Amino acid sequence: VGATAIAVTRTSGKKQELLAFGAAHVIAAAEEDLETRLKDITGPDDVRVVLDPIGGPIFGPLTAAMAPGGILVEYGGLSPEPTPFPLFTVLSKSLTLRG
């Protein structure tokens, strides 16, 4: 389908395994700035689709790196921490798409 798989993990310990399973890029969220790395990888297009089974504090950087009109699928809650919904970030991306 032309997608570029970007895997996010806590540490770089799983990097080689994730690359072997087909990820084009691996970001270690505890070692790198997630939003910055996503934007570095995607360039001006930003992230079109996010599949997140974790929730928690990772939700903010994922949505911040999304393209206007992007798709977010939050299908789990593996993080015991709260998952704050960044309403204004999502609304501004929606308004950008319509404007």
Side-chain angles (χ1 to χ4, degrees), residues 50-60 62 72-78 83:
V50 173
L51 303 171
D52 179 30
I54 308 297
I58 198 172
F59 195 77
L62 290 176
L72 171 67
V73 179
E74 186 66 38
Y75 62 97
L78 295 174
T83 302

Side-chain angles (χ1 to χ4, degrees), residues 28-74:
E31 301 167 10
E32 307 173 72
D33 182 273
L34 178 56
E35 180 182 347
T36 299
R37 284 288 293 128
L38 285 168
K39 290 183 176 190
D40 286 346
I41 293 166
T42 60
D45 295 331
D46 290 326
V47 177
R48 176 77 179 115
V49 178
V50 173
L51 303 171
D52 179 30
I54 308 297
I58 198 172
F59 195 77
L62 290 176
T63 55
M66 284 178 54
I71 299 167
L72 171 67
V73 179
E74 186 66 38

Side-chain angles (χ1 to χ4, degrees), residues 58-98:
I58 198 172
F59 195 77
L62 290 176
T63 55
M66 284 178 54
I71 299 167
L72 171 67
V73 179
E74 186 66 38
Y75 62 97
L78 295 174
S79 174
E81 298 179 55
T83 302
F85 186 79
L87 180 62
F88 292 108
T89 300
V90 173
L91 284 177
S92 69
K93 289 177 184 286
S94 176
L95 293 173
T96 301
L97 179 64
R98 294 181 189 167

